[in-house]
Amino acid sequence: MEADTPSDPNASSPWGSLEPPPERERMFNAPLPAVLLAASMPALYFFQARAHTYWLELSFAPIDLSQGRYAGLLTSMLVHGGWAHAAMNAVAALTFGTPVARLFRGGVGLVVFLSLYIVSGVVATLGYGLVHWGSSDPLVGASGAVFGLIGAATRLTGGGGRVQPLTNRAVITMSIAWMAVNVVLGLIGFAPGSEGARIAWEAHAFGFLFGILAIGPLARWFAPLPNRTDAGKV
């Protein structure tokens, strides 16, 4: 006698389906390094706004270079000109830092991500100082470092997590668009959060240039193998 074909165990179970429900995609899944970096900006400004000196001693002025003061190249990234300035940079850091942070994983990846951000900021501020050599106008904000992340993220757009070559049409088009917007905002002197202050568009350009160039070798050296495919093409 033939055995009866067993029925679907899920259908006969008094508890319904035994299969686990499909995992829901998280609404907010930005990498922790990008989240913490973005959160640090309004957090630091909270203390800055309540400080006696307003942390102005941390700002950078191009004249510092000729007088042998270099700390401002780094510390000026910790200071912002207002809540809107800090919030704008925080949103941009989260938006464009997310794809960059996803490229690098683990403890080494965290170091690489933060190093890219910090060095982009230093290069941006140094470039601004060289262009405006001798000026005593202070420069504050993390915009140059954020533009480093924007430059890096530009080469990750449309690459499925891989770094696109510099000659990629989309990379070229987006780079031109970013620089055009940057120059226009700098010349007309208007941007959210600027509050009438001069926009250091030159610093943005230097940061962007460093980020878009540095992401290639960094991906070759530190990104997981599947994400390095196109990074070897500069």
Short mmCIF file of all heavy atoms in Angstrom, two decimals, residues 2 8 42 52 54 58 60 85 89 103 113-115 138-140 148 157 185 199 226:
data_model
loop_
_atom_site.label_atom_id
_atom_site.label_comp_id
_atom_site.label_asym_id
_atom_site.label_seq_id
_atom_site.Cartn_x
_atom_site.Cartn_y
_atom_site.Cartn_z
N GLU A 2 0.56 2.17 -0.86
CA GLU A 2 1.37 3.37 -0.95
C GLU A 2 1.11 4.26 0.25
O GLU A 2 -0.01 4.37 0.75
CB GLU A 2 1.03 4.15 -2.22
CG GLU A 2 1.40 3.40 -3.49
CD GLU A 2 1.11 4.22 -4.70
OE1 GLU A 2 0.58 5.35 -4.54
OE2 GLU A 2 1.40 3.79 -5.81
N ASP A 8 1.48 19.62 3.71
CA ASP A 8 2.36 20.74 4.04
C ASP A 8 2.36 20.94 5.55
O ASP A 8 1.32 21.21 6.15
CB ASP A 8 1.84 22.01 3.36
CG ASP A 8 2.77 23.20 3.58
OD1 ASP A 8 3.75 23.06 4.35
OD2 ASP A 8 2.49 24.25 2.97
N PRO A 42 26.75 69.09 15.40
CA PRO A 42 25.87 69.88 16.29
C PRO A 42 26.23 69.68 17.75
O PRO A 42 26.03 70.60 18.56
CB PRO A 42 24.47 69.34 15.97
CG PRO A 42 24.68 68.02 15.34
CD PRO A 42 25.99 68.10 14.62
N HIS A 52 33.04 80.71 26.65
CA HIS A 52 33.33 82.12 26.86
C HIS A 52 33.97 82.75 25.63
O HIS A 52 33.65 83.88 25.25
CB HIS A 52 34.26 82.26 28.07
CG HIS A 52 34.77 83.65 28.29
ND1 HIS A 52 33.93 84.70 28.65
CD2 HIS A 52 36.02 84.17 28.17
CE1 HIS A 52 34.66 85.81 28.76
NE2 HIS A 52 35.92 85.52 28.48
N TYR A 54 33.87 81.43 22.59
CA TYR A 54 33.19 80.93 21.39
C TYR A 54 34.10 80.04 20.55
O TYR A 54 33.89 79.86 19.36
CB TYR A 54 32.66 82.12 20.57
CG TYR A 54 31.49 81.77 19.68
CD1 TYR A 54 30.28 81.35 20.22
CD2 TYR A 54 31.58 81.88 18.29
CE1 TYR A 54 29.21 81.04 19.42
CE2 TYR A 54 30.51 81.57 17.48
CZ TYR A 54 29.33 81.15 18.05
OH TYR A 54 28.26 80.84 17.25
N LEU A 58 40.27 78.37 17.96
CA LEU A 58 40.46 77.15 17.16
C LEU A 58 40.34 77.42 15.66
O LEU A 58 40.59 76.53 14.86
CB LEU A 58 39.43 76.09 17.56
CG LEU A 58 39.44 75.64 19.03
CD1 LEU A 58 38.40 74.55 19.24
CD2 LEU A 58 40.82 75.14 19.44
N PHE A 60 41.06 79.16 11.85
CA PHE A 60 42.28 79.27 11.04
C PHE A 60 42.23 80.55 10.24
O PHE A 60 41.17 80.94 9.71
CB PHE A 60 42.38 78.08 10.08
CG PHE A 60 43.42 78.25 9.01
CD1 PHE A 60 44.76 77.99 9.28
CD2 PHE A 60 43.08 78.69 7.74
CE1 PHE A 60 45.73 78.17 8.30
CE2 PHE A 60 44.03 78.86 6.75
CZ PHE A 60 45.36 78.60 7.03
N HIS A 85 24.87 76.40 10.07
CA HIS A 85 26.13 75.96 9.46
C HIS A 85 26.48 74.55 9.91
O HIS A 85 26.82 73.68 9.10
CB HIS A 85 27.24 76.95 9.86
CG HIS A 85 28.52 76.75 9.14
ND1 HIS A 85 29.73 77.22 9.62
CD2 HIS A 85 28.81 76.13 7.96
CE1 HIS A 85 30.69 76.90 8.77
NE2 HIS A 85 30.15 76.24 7.76
N ASN A 89 26.33 71.04 7.46
CA ASN A 89 27.48 70.15 7.29
C ASN A 89 27.18 68.76 7.83
O ASN A 89 27.66 67.75 7.28
CB ASN A 89 28.71 70.73 7.99
CG ASN A 89 29.42 71.76 7.14
OD1 ASN A 89 29.30 71.76 5.91
ND2 ASN A 89 30.17 72.65 7.77
N LEU A 103 31.99 51.42 2.14
CA LEU A 103 33.07 50.84 1.34
C LEU A 103 34.14 50.22 2.21
O LEU A 103 34.76 49.22 1.83
CB LEU A 103 33.68 51.93 0.44
CG LEU A 103 34.81 51.50 -0.49
CD1 LEU A 103 34.30 50.52 -1.55
CD2 LEU A 103 35.44 52.73 -1.15
N PHE A 113 38.18 55.70 6.93
CA PHE A 113 37.09 56.65 6.72
C PHE A 113 37.37 57.98 7.42
O PHE A 113 37.26 59.05 6.82
CB PHE A 113 35.78 56.05 7.25
CG PHE A 113 34.61 56.99 7.24
CD1 PHE A 113 33.99 57.36 6.05
CD2 PHE A 113 34.13 57.54 8.43
CE1 PHE A 113 32.91 58.24 6.05
CE2 PHE A 113 33.06 58.41 8.43
CZ PHE A 113 32.45 58.76 7.24
N LEU A 114 37.75 57.92 8.69
CA LEU A 114 38.01 59.14 9.44
C LEU A 114 39.26 59.85 8.90
O LEU A 114 39.31 61.09 8.87
CB LEU A 114 38.19 58.82 10.92
CG LEU A 114 36.93 58.34 11.65
CD1 LEU A 114 37.24 58.03 13.11
CD2 LEU A 114 35.82 59.38 11.56
N SER A 115 40.26 59.07 8.47
CA SER A 115 41.47 59.68 7.91
C SER A 115 41.16 60.42 6.63
O SER A 115 41.68 61.53 6.40
CB SER A 115 42.54 58.60 7.67
OG SER A 115 42.94 57.98 8.87
N PRO A 138 39.25 84.91 9.55
CA PRO A 138 39.19 83.55 10.09
C PRO A 138 38.33 82.62 9.24
O PRO A 138 37.37 83.04 8.59
CB PRO A 138 38.56 83.74 11.47
CG PRO A 138 37.74 84.98 11.32
CD PRO A 138 38.48 85.86 10.36
N LEU A 139 38.71 81.37 9.24
CA LEU A 139 37.97 80.32 8.53
C LEU A 139 37.54 79.27 9.54
O LEU A 139 38.36 78.78 10.32
CB LEU A 139 38.86 79.68 7.45
CG LEU A 139 38.29 78.45 6.73
CD1 LEU A 139 37.15 78.87 5.80
CD2 LEU A 139 39.38 77.74 5.92
N VAL A 140 36.26 78.93 9.55
CA VAL A 140 35.75 77.90 10.45
C VAL A 140 34.84 76.96 9.66
O VAL A 140 34.31 77.31 8.61
CB VAL A 140 34.96 78.49 11.64
CG1 VAL A 140 35.86 79.37 12.49
CG2 VAL A 140 33.76 79.29 11.15
N GLY A 148 35.37 66.61 0.80
CA GLY A 148 36.20 65.44 0.53
C GLY A 148 35.35 64.18 0.44
O GLY A 148 35.56 63.33 -0.43
N THR A 157 28.97 56.60 -7.09
CA THR A 157 27.62 56.67 -7.64
C THR A 157 27.49 55.78 -8.87
O THR A 157 28.26 55.88 -9.81
CB THR A 157 27.28 58.12 -8.03
OG1 THR A 157 27.43 58.96 -6.88
CG2 THR A 157 25.87 58.22 -8.56
N LEU A 185 27.85 79.65 -5.79
CA LEU A 185 27.50 80.02 -4.42
C LEU A 185 28.58 80.88 -3.79
O LEU A 185 28.30 81.81 -3.03
CB LEU A 185 27.27 78.77 -3.58
CG LEU A 185 26.02 77.95 -3.91
CD1 LEU A 185 25.95 76.72 -3.02
CD2 LEU A 185 24.76 78.79 -3.75
N ILE A 199 31.83 82.71 1.79
CA ILE A 199 31.88 81.27 1.57
C ILE A 199 33.24 80.89 1.01
O ILE A 199 33.67 81.43 -0.02
CB ILE A 199 30.77 80.82 0.61
CG1 ILE A 199 29.40 81.14 1.21
CG2 ILE A 199 30.88 79.33 0.31
CD1 ILE A 199 28.26 80.88 0.27
N PRO A 226 35.61 42.40 -3.49
CA PRO A 226 34.57 42.65 -4.49
C PRO A 226 34.35 44.14 -4.79
O PRO A 226 33.80 44.48 -5.82
CB PRO A 226 33.31 42.05 -3.84
CG PRO A 226 33.81 41.09 -2.84
CD PRO A 226 35.07 41.69 -2.33
#
